[in-house]
Amino acid sequence: MMQFRDLKKQYSILKAEMDAAVLEAMASGAYIMGPQVKELEAKLAGYVGVKHCLTCANGTDALTLALKAWGIGPGDAVFVPDFTFFSSAEVIALEGATPVFVDVCEDTFNIDAADLEKAVLQVREEGKLKPRVVIAVDLFGLPANYPAIREVADKYGLLVLEDGAQGFGGGIEGRRACSFGDISTTSFFPAKPLGCYGDGGAVFTDNDEWAALIESYRVHGKGAFKYDNVRIGLNSRLDTVQAAVLLVKLKAFREYELDAVNKVAALYSELFCHSERSEESVATPVIPEGFGSSWAQYTIRLRDRQQRDAVQAVLKAAGIPAMVYYPKPMHLQTAFKPVLPSEAKDLCPVATSLCERVLSLPMHPYMTEEEIVTVAEAVLNSVQ
Ligand SMILES: *Cc1c(COP(=O)(O)O)cnc(C)c1O
């Protein structure tokens, strides 16, 4: 059976280097904050092009650390796309602030800057919450439209938090993802573009003051030293073993994996676009001019829920795993019911419709041409 993201194949290729790196970390005895953690942080900051990189326990904590550094809490409105993984919005409520869901663009899946402005104006008019932050998500590997988001953010005094959990490796006009926010974050969950062998995450910023606060928050709000605690924080560090894993994977990512996923995506799109059969029903991912994706997912749009579910079933029967990211928009999540007005069920029509029509196909740097063709043909044969 074909793999959706073949991490075992990746391991088999990196095995010699990976085993040596992990064994070295285990033999060293420096399991927490070992030298590999600092080395990784320096390499990640250099790759992304920001001054500070602080690793942490996972991508959700990375977002939480950013909100804590900014003192976001009760009475604050934080704008977030309605079409994303739960974490992006969860962290807002966890800090006691109020998530405000914003619709996304049909073609890029990312937050719609025009709808963001509408949502900010509505919050201001209601006068109950203070607009503070927009969390823009680089969904499926494509950076959000930061030039447009920045314009709205500047106009209304919002801080920009880039959720680059899926975006690491993408870019806009030569600038890399995880450098677009006032603070940016990523995740090293195994299936992300750059993943470790467990949980991990990182925060990026050019701002010295926020970096110092995050450094404190990630180790129990430490002050001058670990047992001097000046604020309530988290225990959110990246393990030395995971840093060792990531150093090996970052090298492969830079040298060939990012190119490889772009080739997979290009072949998929060519097969779908050149097929006469697909014209009406298979919409391929759109990468705007000047943008680059890290292809966390290759996500097609079908006509409606019925067709999407049928295609997924046909693929499954053929031994091809295809996933629905995401089946439910944020504003319909049960957990957010208490924080939403009752008329909220009609919010964000684009996100709601995408949840019914999207399907993510197998995507990873080690896919063979034969596998890509097999998937594309199975999709094309099933959309009739
Ligand atoms: C995976 C993911 C996160 C959370 O990362 P974890 O490391 O799993 O905590 C946050 N936002 C988005 C968009 C994600 O895809």
Side-chain angles (χ1 to χ4, degrees):
M1 161 136 176
M2 198 184 291
Q3 297 292 305
F4 187 70
R5 191 162 189 96
D6 200 341
L7 296 169
K8 278 197 202 167
K9 189 162 171 188
Q10 182 196 42
Y11 172 66
S12 75
I13 286 161
L14 301 176
K15 186 176 187 324
E17 216 181 330
M18 187 65 79
D19 289 0
V22 168
L23 286 172
E24 187 193 324
M26 289 202 286
S28 76
Y31 306 121
I32 302 289
M33 290 289 173
Q36 290 90 333
V37 175
K38 282 271 160 279
E39 186 188 340
L40 177 69
E41 289 179 340
K43 286 203 167 132
L44 290 170
Y47 178 75
V48 165
V50 297
K51 192 166 173 196
H52 303 281
C53 168
L54 295 119
T55 54
C56 62
N58 55 70
T60 309
D61 279 5
L63 292 166
T64 298
L65 288 165
L67 295 180
K68 282 194 181 298
W70 288 338
I72 302 303
D76 292 335
V78 178
F79 302 85
V80 65
D82 196 43
F83 188 57
T84 182
F85 179 59
F86 188 60
S87 269
S88 315
E90 178 182 32
V91 294
I92 302 165
L94 195 63
E95 292 307 295
T98 302
V100 179
F101 302 114
V102 178
D103 213 350
V104 296
C105 302
E106 160 81 19
D107 55 350
T108 63
F109 306 117
N110 280 330
I111 195 166
D112 180 337
D115 204 59
L116 170 64
E117 180 161 26
K118 247 193 254 168
V120 175
L121 287 172
Q122 195 175 339
V123 167
R124 293 217 314 188
E125 195 175 310
E126 284 169 8
K128 289 190 223 126
L129 301 168
K130 190 169 185 303
R132 293 286 310 276
V133 177
V134 52
I135 300 182
V137 180
D138 302 339
L139 205 71
F140 305 150
L142 177 70
N145 187 353
Y146 290 100
I149 292 162
R150 189 53 79 176
E151 210 168 286
V152 176
D154 286 349
K155 193 162 165 190
Y156 300 101
L158 301 177
L159 290 160
V160 177
L161 174 50
E162 176 185 4
D163 179 351
Q166 301 179 16
F168 187 86
I172 308 175
E173 309 279 2
R175 254 183 83 183
R176 287 234 162 83
C178 297
S179 74
F180 298 114
D182 295 298
I183 299 180
S184 304
T185 64
T186 197
S187 163
F188 304 125
F189 180 82
K192 306 282 167 154
L194 178 65
C196 60
Y197 290 151
D199 280 306
V203 185
F204 300 87
T205 186
D206 281 323
N207 183 294
D208 298 340
E209 191 187 326
W210 297 333
L213 281 168
I214 288 161
E215 178 136 30
S216 165
Y217 276 118
R218 77 172 167 179
V219 186
H220 307 288
K222 72 172 177 182
F225 61 101
K226 189 176 169 186
Y227 303 104
D228 171 36
N229 306 93
V230 297
R231 53 182 67 86
I232 301 301
L234 308 173
N235 172 13
S236 188
R237 293 168 300 229
L238 183 73
D239 296 334
T240 304
V241 168
Q242 298 302 347
V245 167
L246 284 164
L247 282 167
V248 175
K249 289 226 206 173
L250 178 62
K251 194 160 153 265
F253 184 85
R254 296 176 73 151
E255 283 175 5
Y256 59 88
E257 285 188 354
L258 184 58
D259 284 343
V261 285
N262 274 284
K263 287 198 183 110
V264 174
L267 181 52
Y268 265 141
S269 292
E270 190 187 316
L271 292 167
F272 287 132
C273 295
H274 288 171
S275 164
E276 278 157 32
R277 289 173 296 181
S278 73
E279 256 178 32
E280 283 176 28
S281 30
V282 179
T284 54
V286 171
I287 308 298
E289 185 66 35
F291 283 60
S293 178
S294 60
W295 297 106
Q297 306 294 343
Y298 185 93
T299 303
I300 56 172
R301 285 165 284 150
L302 284 311
R303 194 189 315 126
D304 51 25
R305 180 190 290 276
Q306 196 188 357
Q307 188 189 45
R308 189 269 309 277
D309 292 350
V311 171
Q312 189 182 25
V314 168
L315 293 181
K316 190 175 175 196
I320 300 168
M323 313 287 286
V324 176
Y325 298 124
Y326 293 93
K328 222 181 203 197
M330 289 303 109
H331 78 274
L332 295 181
Q333 292 289 355
T334 310
F336 290 129
K337 251 196 187 148
V339 303
L340 286 173
S342 57
E343 68 276 12
K345 64 175 180 12
D346 299 324
L347 284 172
C348 305
V350 178
T352 307
S353 162
L354 285 172
C355 289
E356 302 191 341
R357 294 180 290 122
V358 287
L359 190 63
S360 298
L361 304 179
M363 164 55 83
H364 60 83
Y366 303 94
M367 276 187 89
T368 62
E369 190 170 324
E370 194 188 335
E371 286 177 315
I372 301 161
V373 170
T374 301
V375 175
E377 298 223 308
V379 171
L380 290 166
N381 286 333
S382 63
V383 292
Q384 303 311 306

